[in-house]
Amino acid sequence: MSPEQKRLNKYCEQHTSRISDVLYQLERETHLKTLAPQMSSGPLQGAFLRLLCQLYQARHILEIGTFTGYAALCMADGMPDDGLLQTIEANDEMEYLIRKYIKKAGMEERIRLHIGQAQQIIPQLTTRFDLVFIDAGKKDYAYYYDLVFDKVNIGGLILADNVLWDGKVTLPEVQ
């Protein structure tokens, strides 16, 4: 991250709502117990996702790629009380941590965790979604997009995380 990006990030964090104690604990445990803690959404992205869910009043949300659950908790917090977020995580080793923080946040009734391959789980889902957040294997984004396209309500959103791959899309070997 460049010095300018670091300053901008710090500024944004200083002018964004503080995170809850549960999100702070999850962020800390993610950094202590995972090999790639940078994969977590973090406070700024989490606040943005929560805001989008509030603005769209998204009642049915699908997240592909849970990691430790930070984004799921943020989006569920932004849903109406009768909303349901379904999240898919391929790595079964993350399940204990995800479930631990879903419970700590009191979101057991609002978040449904699916452990397994999204390619097999998505076709089985019968829900129509207001918002889909794709945040799994970057090379499979087009495939996930195709799988969810017909499951999104008219006017719904499909969001894809880090499609610019931290600028790697500009490299000749990627293009």
Side-chain angles (χ1 to χ4, degrees):
M1 190 181 299
S2 73
E4 293 82 17
Q5 289 172 315
K6 287 180 182 177
R7 283 195 305 274
L8 181 58
N9 204 41
K10 184 176 180 179
Y11 174 84
C12 290
E13 286 177 354
Q14 290 171 341
H15 293 85
T16 300
S17 301
R18 296 184 67 117
I19 62 172
S20 69
D21 287 341
V22 172
L23 288 175
Y24 174 79
Q25 292 167 21
L26 173 55
E27 187 175 32
R28 178 140 171 75
E29 191 164 351
T30 297
H31 277 82
L32 291 172
K33 294 186 177 175
T34 67
L35 295 175
Q38 71 277 9
M39 289 183 4
S40 183
S41 290
L44 292 178
Q45 184 176 2
F48 180 68
L49 290 169
R50 180 176 42 253
L51 176 64
L52 285 177
C53 293
Q54 289 169 332
L55 291 172
Y56 275 84
Q57 297 184 13
R59 282 189 164 69
H60 300 285
I61 299 171
L62 174 62
E63 176 186 39
I64 305 167
T66 316
F67 188 46
T68 59
Y70 195 101
L73 291 174
C74 292
M75 289 187 290
D77 188 46
M79 292 185 313
D81 291 339
D82 62 345
L84 177 66
L85 180 141
Q86 297 191 57
T87 186
I88 304 169
E89 176 54 45
N91 184 351
D92 62 354
E93 292 181 4
M94 293 288 110
E95 183 174 7
Y96 82 96
L97 195 56
I98 298 164
R99 291 199 189 280
K100 174 181 176 178
Y101 282 93
I102 288 173
K103 185 174 182 171
K104 272 190 173 201
M107 296 277 189
E108 301 97 331
E109 299 298 316
R110 301 181 72 195
I111 299 175
R112 182 175 302 146
L113 174 62
H114 302 272
I115 299 294
Q117 297 301 314
Q119 296 90 331
Q120 281 116 29
I121 295 169
I122 293 170
Q124 297 175 16
L125 300 176
T126 58
T127 305
R128 294 199 50 86
F129 297 99
D130 302 309
L131 187 146
V132 174
F133 180 46
I134 302 172
D135 189 17
K138 306 307 179 226
K139 293 181 181 180
D140 293 325
Y141 273 22
Y143 183 69
Y144 297 138
Y145 178 86
D146 290 340
L147 281 176
V148 301
F149 187 81
D150 291 331
K151 294 181 178 287
V152 178
N153 288 321
I154 293 172
L157 291 176
I158 299 175
L159 305 171
D161 182 66
N162 196 18
V163 294
L164 301 178
W165 285 11
D166 290 323
K168 292 182 185 108
V169 295
T170 63
L171 300 175
E173 62 270 16
V174 176
Q175 295 177 0

